[in-house]
Amino acid sequence: MDIRSTLAAQQYAASRQAATPTPQSEQSTNPFSTATTSFADTVQQGEKTAMAALSGNADPHALVQALAQTELAVETAVTVRDKVVEAYQEILRMPV
């Protein structure tokens, strides 16, 4: 066996292992993933409470509270989006 083919096989095995996706557990440590999941959960809970209030199964206080939480979550998401767009535009303005 040639030394070059052995090295190539070793490099292939190392790169194949590095390229395989790692399974993600239920508790992700990625803060962006956690934030988006929390945002989606808040919006879904607000929708469920609104539907329950429309059918008469929830009290108005719970509806107001759910709507306030949803509004805060949406405002936070919009603020983060604006900051990301602003940072991207600033990067585009940088001289090369």
Side-chain angles (χ1 to χ4, degrees):
M1 183 172 213
D2 191 13
I3 292 176
R4 284 183 264 155
S5 63
T6 304
L7 290 175
Q10 289 174 349
Q11 290 295 328
Y12 174 74
S15 64
R16 189 177 79 181
Q17 182 181 12
T20 56
T22 56
Q24 294 185 358
S25 64
E26 292 295 322
Q27 294 289 350
S28 179
T29 58
N30 185 358
F32 182 74
S33 175
T34 305
T36 55
T37 303
S38 175
F39 171 75
D41 291 342
T42 302
V43 171
Q44 286 177 352
Q45 186 63 32
E47 289 176 352
K48 287 178 185 178
T49 305
M51 294 300 287
L54 288 173
S55 64
N57 296 332
D59 62 321
H61 179 68
L63 176 63
V64 171
Q65 186 178 10
L67 290 176
Q69 288 176 347
T70 303
E71 182 181 8
L72 181 63
V74 169
E75 286 177 0
T76 303
V78 169
T79 302
V80 169
R81 183 209 56 192
D82 290 346
K83 290 291 184 180
V84 168
V85 169
E86 182 181 327
Y88 177 73
Q89 289 174 343
E90 188 66 29
I91 289 171
L92 287 178
R93 282 181 268 198
M94 293 175 120
V96 179

